[in-house]
Amino acid sequence: MDFISAIIQLLIASALIFFISGRLIGSQISLMKRILSVLISVSLTTFVFWYTYLRGSDYYDQGIVSNVVNITTIIWLGSMLLISMLLYLFFELFDSIELNENGTPVGRRSYFKTLITYWKRQKRLREVVGIAVTNGVTRTMKYARAREDERELAKALRETLEQCGGVFIKFGQVLSTRKELLSPIFIDELEKLQQHVKPLSEQQVDQIIAENFNAGADQIFSYISKTPLASASIGQVHKAVLKETDEPVVVKFLRPDVKNIMQDDLSILMEFARWITSKSQWAENLGFYDLAKGFSMALKEEIDFNIEARNMEQVAKIVERGSIDVKVPKVYRECSNSNVVVMEYIKGQSVTVANELFTDLGTDRHQFAKTLLYSFLEQTLISGIFHADPHPGNIYIEETTGRVAILDYGAVGRLAELQQEGLKYFLVGIHQNDAALVVDGIAQLVENAEQINRHEMEQAISQILLKINYVSTIPTDELMYSIFSVVREFGLHFYPSVNVALRAIVTLDGTLSIICPGFRIFSEVKDFSNDYLKSSFLKPFKHPVETKDLIEEELALMLPNLRKIPRRLDQLFRKVESGKIILHHDIFSDKANSMFITQLFSRFVLLMVGITFGIISVALLAISQFIHNAYAIYLNTAAYLGLFLCAILLVRLSIQAIRDMKRTK
């Protein structure tokens, strides 16, 4: 019975510790973490209490707590409480789950699964870092200023990405297209990366079809080829025929388990990029971590075919409303989902192999290239939504009409209106050799525009523009690389969406060069801007009815405010005459600012109180050493109580600080 009584008393003590620790921590916390913290603290402190005090004493045979209500028991219970909070702090440190603005975990999952995932990721990360060190990445990064050392670094980076495989190879392939960021030495090395993907077997294709077409493939398609038209690391493309309409279509399947593999490897890639950035000034200046982050975000969109279908529909509507006639495949949403997308089959050839088709159709190559460029500029500079990967494999010429067809909408960029204007200034400024206009454009394209030293930057851009004066042609990637180098030297960072647009321009320039060698992209950009400005100016005269309706709508919105203006002016003049006009600005008038300051001040007060308790307690302990009477017991008791309160306050503040850092923006 004494043993059962002791167990009941321990359970009651555990429940009290569970409740009190939760209140003292002062934030929304995981139930499993609280239970685990209490169990470990109760087990540990009980064993220590028994081993150091109860074992061998007169109380051992009389029960644990019933006959032992003294200072030692209080210390035991206090230690139990403090250790449970410290354990929770430890668990919080190793929990990578982000919190929303209310402090609620985003994507909550089992803590044990988190630990297992963390262990697996750390093992994979050690493997990746080991490969990088073996290939000499860290060694060559320190000496990457000389050209021969840059070649060595490029080779080491390419070998590292190649040996890591999977997502790392794809990341290297994307980097090989960033000619505006990386020198030709790096581009040459990274272009050697090849990812040999084995096509899905017929059994795998049948399984994917069965899993994704609930109505049955036989009800949707009269024919579907088991031999792929193309196979890549993310998806595989098959030709099919719709049963109802007899239309030829293309079915794109997502590879099995690609989402899980991508998510695991992307987190490792981010850690690897963070590690390289911390080891190298070169990687930090290049923005290597931001490149990996942008790649990760883009790839997460690519593995959701619902996003690709939506992108295709958006660009199709933009093209339909625009003045440039290009072909965007129709998407069949009723047959598509996150793992499968069904789209119109485009009968044509990629521009890389369409020389004979251009000749047979008598298509003007320059006009074809101009149409493609104008369509891209219309998407980018007017609508703000554009195809972000216009490489030659995605640009087709239709066999019957000779029209431009743009395929693959897994990567689509989006630019805000301000960035559209900045990009226009940037491109036209390059064509006109106007450094001031280029800097005006850059100021609207970078996140930290307030750091621009206009005079020095205009001088640097002028030097670059002088190098291309009186030269018939200059590679676009070389020019963009020079300008990007200046931007990095000034410590500026382009918005991620701007990086996507500029990369797309460099990729498009390569495609245009294949279609029409000698095509001058910047000259055509100026012509497009001039045409666009003229059409914008003449639009009210060409469409008077639409203009009249627009003016009426704007006036209807403005009329209520216009009617209030006389009365408000009269009130304003009266206040001026009476001397009652007071200018007042209060940062605390904003609720968010007020709450932030209040929260910060309250935590500062708690911190000061905790430190004060600690200092006073240490002083009391020191004083008690010189007192040799019963009064020393009271001093020691007060001192230990103060230290206990100090520890509680500091642990609470630490937990809240950790959780604040995890909150999503």
Side-chain angles (χ1 to χ4, degrees), residues 222-238:
S222 59
Y223 165 78
I224 182 167
S225 172
K226 299 299 176 64
T227 304
L229 293 173
S231 184
S233 57
I234 293 177
Q236 185 163 295
V237 177
H238 293 253

Side-chain angles (χ1 to χ4, degrees), residues 285-576:
N285 292 339
L286 182 67
F288 195 84
Y289 178 78
D290 290 334
L291 287 173
K293 185 177 180 180
F295 167 77
S296 176
M297 293 172 63
L299 200 58
K300 285 178 181 177
E301 286 196 358
E302 283 191 50
I303 59 178
D304 185 348
F305 286 171
N306 278 328
I307 295 177
E308 180 170 352
R310 185 180 66 217
N311 291 341
M312 208 177 309
E313 288 178 336
Q314 283 185 318
V315 176
K317 288 180 181 178
I318 290 166
V319 169
E320 183 181 345
R321 293 174 183 174
S323 59
I324 311 302
D325 184 24
V326 298
K327 178 66 177 178
V328 177
K330 176 185 175 183
V331 60
Y332 298 85
R333 290 300 290 264
E334 65 277 6
C335 309
S336 304
N337 56 41
S338 60
N339 299 320
V340 176
V341 60
V342 180
M343 65 194 89
E344 179 184 358
Y345 175 72
I346 301 297
K347 190 174 182 181
Q349 295 179 9
S350 165
V351 293
T352 54
V353 295
N355 291 331
E356 292 185 6
L357 186 57
F358 271 110
T359 303
D360 293 342
L361 294 174
T363 303
D364 185 338
R365 285 177 172 270
H366 184 273
Q367 187 59 43
F368 187 92
K370 186 175 179 179
T371 300
L372 173 60
L373 174 63
Y374 275 29
S375 175
F376 175 81
L377 294 175
E378 192 173 66
Q379 296 168 35
T380 309
L381 303 180
I382 299 175
S383 70
I385 302 174
F386 59 93
H387 191 290
D389 194 18
H391 67 76
N394 288 337
I395 308 301
Y396 271 50
I397 174 173
E398 286 191 292
E399 287 188 2
T400 54
T401 62
R403 190 168 48 162
V404 177
I406 307 174
L407 311 182
D408 193 354
Y409 292 81
V412 166
R414 291 171 175 83
L415 284 179
E417 187 174 348
L418 188 65
Q419 295 161 1
Q420 296 170 32
E421 186 179 356
L423 187 59
K424 201 180 302 178
Y425 289 157
F426 178 79
L427 296 173
V428 174
I430 290 175
H431 173 72
Q432 295 181 346
N433 291 315
D434 188 338
L437 194 57
V438 173
V439 174
D440 286 340
I442 291 174
Q444 294 179 319
L445 299 176
V446 296
E447 297 175 341
N448 48 344
E450 67 281 355
Q451 297 180 16
I452 292 179
N453 184 324
R454 288 195 63 91
H455 178 71
E456 292 186 6
M457 176 165 274
E458 284 183 19
Q459 289 293 324
I461 298 295
S462 293
Q463 291 297 318
I464 295 173
L465 296 179
L466 284 171
K467 293 178 182 178
I468 65 174
N469 269 339
Y470 309 109
V471 178
S472 58
T473 58
I474 184 169
T476 301
D477 53 357
E478 183 181 331
L479 174 61
M480 298 289 273
Y481 174 73
S482 301
I483 295 176
F484 268 56
S485 298
V486 171
V487 171
R488 288 200 304 272
E489 287 172 8
F490 279 81
L492 304 175
H493 304 285
F494 285 112
Y495 288 104
S497 56
V498 174
N499 274 321
V500 173
L502 294 174
R503 184 191 71 182
I505 289 171
V506 174
T507 304
L508 179 64
D509 181 65
T511 303
L512 295 172
S513 298
I514 291 174
I515 297 170
C516 179
F519 189 85
R520 303 184 66 178
I521 186 171
F522 293 111
S523 176
E524 297 292 345
V525 167
K526 183 192 175 187
D527 293 341
F528 174 84
S529 298
N530 292 337
D531 293 344
Y532 172 68
L533 290 173
K534 289 176 184 176
S535 63
S536 299
F537 178 74
L538 295 173
K539 185 176 180 180
F541 302 101
K542 291 182 178 179
H543 305 281
V545 177
E546 293 180 9
T547 304
K548 174 178 171 291
D549 293 340
L550 181 62
I551 292 173
E552 288 177 351
E553 289 177 6
E554 294 295 331
L555 285 174
L557 292 172
M558 292 172 60
L559 191 58
N561 291 323
L562 290 173
R563 294 175 62 185
K564 295 176 184 177
I565 288 177
R567 185 170 66 255
R568 289 179 177 176
L569 283 174
D570 182 59
Q571 292 173 352
L572 177 63
F573 288 139
R574 287 183 181 181
K575 288 183 178 180
V576 171

